[in-house]
């Protein structure tokens, strides 16, 4: 049963929501693709990620899975960097031709060079769009793809710090970032939506910044996540069948997206992750600190 449009969160949209419910198109799943396009993802990686999602909807197994559903799926794309935005309208996919049309829409998403990784805003925008679209899904899924962690406040504002920052400033900013992503996750959960994640590990960025971070922090908080996968598991995903898949920007990226989408529209079992080298604990903190270290925002942003 879908809880989204009857939740307390929808109170401000009740008149419009009531109208939508009365005229909504029934689908098996509503799927929001929340895709990281922040400046830590270079032009080549952006193309690989965008093509991975587009090609996944051109994949024969995905098209067959969609065609086998009773009512198809509704899907839209929501890129995020400093804030989230809706990049495509909602598509109703029932067959291969519909999936190809949506893949073409993904192809048109432009690259941007924006500092900041605001996963919370991407989730917020996707959830708000689900509240007000023209579909009624049996299941609501927010599909997040990111190579970093939350590093700005939820509205997209940076955390004010000194140069260099003090330990107290760093702790306060990290707590604010946690509050932002937790708030978005909890709002989605209250609305009855699942959140799954694709953790994109970039090993090339690790060694360059570890020495600086180690000198800056002099240690890590107890229980700090040791991998990007662990961070997303602890702070973002929600739902009884929610999962994180670890991957990298390489030729296998489309295969991981296909596996993820199949698991989301055929929910019997979550996908089995393929082991992927993960960053050290300090690399995770590096990504979180991206919004704090302002000397070179392009270089240090995720």
């Amino acid at each position: 049963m879908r809880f989204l449009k009857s939740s307390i969160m929808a109170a401000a949209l009740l008149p419009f929501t009531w109208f939508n419910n009365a005229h909504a198109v029934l689908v098996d799943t509503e799927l929001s693709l929340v895709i990281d396009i922040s400046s830590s993802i270079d032009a080549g990686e952006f193309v690989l990620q965008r093509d991975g999602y587009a090609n996944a909807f051109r994949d024969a197994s995905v098209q067959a899975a969609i065609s086998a559903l009773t009512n198809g799926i509704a899907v839209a794309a929501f890129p995020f960097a400093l804030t989230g935005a809706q990049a495509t309208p909602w598509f109703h996919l029932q067959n291969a031709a519909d999936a190809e049309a949506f893949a073409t829409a993904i192809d048109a998403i432009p690259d941007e060079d924006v500092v900041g990784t605001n996963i919370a805003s991407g989730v917020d925008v996707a959830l708000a769009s689900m509240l007000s679209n023209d579909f009624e899904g049996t299941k609501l899924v927010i599909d997040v793809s990111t190579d970093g962690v939350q590093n700005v406040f939820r509205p997209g504002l940076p955390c004010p710090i000194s140069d260099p920052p003090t330990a107290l400033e760093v702790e306060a900013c990290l707590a604010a970032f946690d509050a932002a992503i937790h708030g978005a996750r909890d709002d989605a959960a209250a609305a009855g939506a699942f959140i799954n994640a694709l953790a994109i590990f970039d090993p090339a960025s690790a060694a360059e910044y570890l020495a600086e971070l180690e000198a800056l922090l002099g240690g890590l908080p107890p229980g700090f996540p040791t991998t990007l996968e662990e961070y997303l598991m602890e702070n973002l995903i929600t739902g009884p069948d929610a999962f994180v898949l670890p991957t990298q920007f390489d030729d296998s990226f489309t295969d991981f997206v296909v596996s993820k989408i199949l698991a989301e529209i055929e929910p019997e079992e979550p996908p089995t992750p393929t082991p992927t080298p993960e960053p050290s604990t300090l690399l995770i903190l590096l990504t979180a600190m991206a919004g704090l270290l302002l000397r070179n925002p392009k270089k240090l942003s995720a």
Side-chain angles (χ1 to χ4, degrees):
M1 178 177 181
R2 178 173 178 177
F3 298 102
L4 180 59
K5 291 178 179 173
S6 60
S7 70
I8 295 174
M9 286 183 57
L13 297 172
L14 276 177
F16 183 63
T17 299
W18 177 87
F19 178 84
N20 270 359
N21 277 340
H23 297 83
V25 176
L26 182 64
V27 294
D28 290 85
T29 299
E30 291 181 49
L31 178 62
S32 293
L33 306 177
V34 178
I35 302 172
D36 191 344
I37 60 168
S38 60
S39 58
S40 66
I41 296 176
D42 64 31
E45 291 168 342
F46 169 81
V47 170
L48 187 64
Q49 183 178 212
R50 183 185 62 188
D51 289 354
Y53 274 91
N55 290 337
F57 284 91
R58 295 185 171 107
D59 183 84
S61 62
V62 171
Q63 292 182 354
I66 291 170
S67 299
L69 295 172
T70 302
N71 298 300
I73 68 170
V75 60
F78 300 86
F80 71 90
L82 189 61
T83 57
Q86 184 164 350
T88 72
W90 283 93
F91 281 70
H92 186 191
L93 309 188
Q94 297 179 283
N95 52 47
D98 295 338
E100 176 61 41
F102 180 62
T104 300
I106 294 177
D107 287 335
I109 296 175
D111 193 5
E112 296 185 19
D113 185 14
V114 180
V115 171
T117 299
N118 197 344
I119 301 170
S121 180
V123 171
D124 287 340
V125 172
L127 185 61
S129 187
M130 281 178 161
L131 282 170
S132 58
N133 67 19
D134 296 325
F135 297 94
E136 186 75 13
T138 303
K139 188 174 74 166
L140 308 175
V141 178
I142 298 174
D143 174 319
V144 176
S145 170
T146 185
D147 74 340
V149 306
Q150 183 79 21
N151 61 22
V152 295
F153 293 160
R154 195 169 176 181
L157 300 174
C159 193
I161 58 168
S162 306
D163 186 10
T166 67
L168 287 177
E169 288 174 331
V170 171
E171 290 174 3
C173 288
L174 292 177
F177 301 156
D178 284 349
I181 194 169
H182 294 167
R185 176 199 63 195
D186 294 346
D187 285 350
F194 292 4
I195 302 178
N196 301 319
L198 193 64
I200 309 170
F201 169 45
D202 179 9
S205 65
E208 188 174 356
Y209 305 120
L210 288 179
E212 180 180 3
L213 287 174
E214 192 169 10
L216 176 65
L217 299 170
L220 296 171
F224 202 84
T226 58
T227 67
L228 180 57
E229 181 184 3
E230 182 182 347
Y231 171 85
L232 296 173
M233 290 180 67
E234 292 182 5
N235 296 286
L236 178 63
I237 67 170
T238 184
D241 297 319
F243 59 86
V244 178
L245 280 182
T247 187
Q248 296 187 40
F249 282 124
D250 57 26
D251 292 341
S252 68
F253 186 81
T254 294
D255 295 334
F256 278 86
V257 178
V258 167
S259 177
K260 192 167 189 283
I261 291 172
L262 286 174
E264 289 165 339
I265 64 177
E266 297 180 332
E268 287 78 10
E269 292 188 17
T272 301
T274 300
T276 302
E278 284 283 353
S280 68
T281 301
L282 282 177
L283 178 58
I284 292 300
L285 189 56
L286 157 69
T287 317
M289 292 294 293
L292 306 178
L293 305 179
L294 306 179
R295 293 188 293 278
N296 190 340
K298 164 63 178 174
K299 185 175 182 182
L300 293 176
S301 294

